[in-house]
């Protein structure tokens, strides 16, 4: 089995999972948050270097204020509760998005957990929080425009590498595999620039149902894909490491 270097997951379907069981949406969010730990642990065990989770989009601020408030409390509780587990598994936590828009209690918990885990050298776990890819791209363009205007940068110097360095994800490679749960087949403003050559994997499973077995299935499908990056099949391609799953 080929293990992707960078896996990104759109964790969708918490509300629908709860509705199917006659429970309020927040029940689905609570259950969904409990699925993060085993997926993070298994990705680290298999040798994934970067795992990016779409936790809360820029558009999610438009949801009912009560739901948003509870989601922020859940985020805070997760960050505090998981510190010991992250440290035990050598996981470094980072975040992308407009995190300054988070309520202070959630922002403080996020910054504290990032600081506590900053020296870890294993899996880099990135939370996309208050994140929107279009907004990220616009911000990068603004930065470049300011640098050109101030004379720091010449327009002719702008290329993909220069642009990449102005993105939130400048310290990580582009995702090899993007997984979306719940049967929806779109990116929903997630890593639009970075996903140019990502393999996309869609599953009908709702996020609270996405188990380690489902993760293995996604990796097996990734192994069967032929990644050409615009080249011919005969031309050599970089290969991710292969591992045997030990259950």
């Amino acid at each position: 089995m080929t293990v992707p270097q960078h896996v990104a997951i759109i964790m969708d379907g918490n509300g629908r999972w709860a509705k199917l069981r006659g429970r309020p949406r927040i029940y689905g969010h609570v259950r969904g948050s409990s699925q993060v730990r085993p997926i993070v642990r298994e990705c680290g065990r298999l040798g994934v270097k970067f795992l990016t989770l779409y936790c809360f989009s820029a558009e999610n601020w438009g949801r009912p204020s009560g739901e948003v408030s509870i989601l922020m409390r859940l985020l805070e509780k997760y960050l505090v509760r998981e510190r010991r587990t992250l440290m035990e598994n050598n996981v470094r936590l980072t975040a992308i998005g407009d995190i300054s828009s988070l309520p202070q209690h959630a922002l403080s918990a996020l910054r504290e957990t990032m600081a506590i885990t900053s020296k870890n050298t294993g899996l880099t776990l990135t939370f996309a929080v208050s994140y929107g890819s279009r907004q990220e791209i616009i911000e990068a363009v603004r930065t470049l425009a300011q640098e050109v205007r101030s004379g720091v940068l010449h327009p002719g110097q702008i290329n993909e590498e220069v642009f990449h360095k102005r993105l939130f994800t400048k310290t990580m490679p582009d995702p090899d595999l993007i997984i979306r749960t719940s049967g929806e087949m779109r990116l929903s403003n997630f890593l639009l620039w970075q996903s140019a050559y990502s393999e996309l994997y869609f599953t009908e499973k709702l996020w609270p149902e996405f188990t380690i077995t489902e993760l293995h299935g996604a990796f097996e499908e990734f192994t069967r894909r032929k990644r050409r990056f615009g080249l011919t099949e005969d031309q050599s391609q970089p290969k991710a490491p292969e591992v045997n799953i030990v259950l």
Side-chain angles (χ1 to χ4, degrees), residues 76-117:
E76 177 192 11
K77 288 183 179 180
Y78 172 87
L79 291 166
V80 174
R81 182 182 71 240
E82 292 298 308
R83 285 173 185 168
R84 180 175 179 178
T85 301
L86 294 174
M87 294 301 295
E88 290 175 346
N89 289 276
N90 197 26
V91 175
R92 181 172 68 97
L93 179 69
T94 66
I96 58 174
D98 180 19
I99 65 171
S100 63
S101 63
L102 297 178
Q104 189 58 49
H105 64 87
L107 180 59
S108 295
L110 177 60
R111 285 177 169 165
E112 288 172 14
T113 305
M114 288 194 295
I116 290 169
T117 64

Side-chain angles (χ1 to χ4, degrees), residues 2 33 49 90 97 110 115 151 164 168 170 175 213 229 237:
T2 303
S33 68
K49 301 301 182 184
N90 197 26
L110 177 60
H164 173 76
F168 295 146
K170 58 183 176 290
T213 300
F229 300 92
Q237 298 297 322

Side-chain angles (χ1 to χ4, degrees), residues 5 43 54 85 87 100 104 118 146 153 179 184 201 208 211 227-228 230 236:
Q5 180 182 22
C43 281
Y54 203 7
T85 301
M87 294 301 295
S100 63
Q104 189 58 49
S118 63
Q146 291 169 354
L153 189 68
I179 299 169
E184 303 293 349
Y201 178 85
T211 63
R227 307 185 73 200
R228 301 191 180 109
S236 61

Side-chain angles (χ1 to χ4, degrees), residues 42-71:
E42 185 66 1
C43 281
R45 188 180 76 87
L46 292 176
V48 174
K49 301 301 182 184
F50 299 88
L51 175 62
T52 301
L53 302 180
Y54 203 7
C55 300
F56 189 86
S57 74
E59 292 77 16
N60 286 157
W61 291 113
R63 292 188 176 187
S65 59
E67 180 176 345
V68 171
S69 179
I70 293 174
L71 286 172

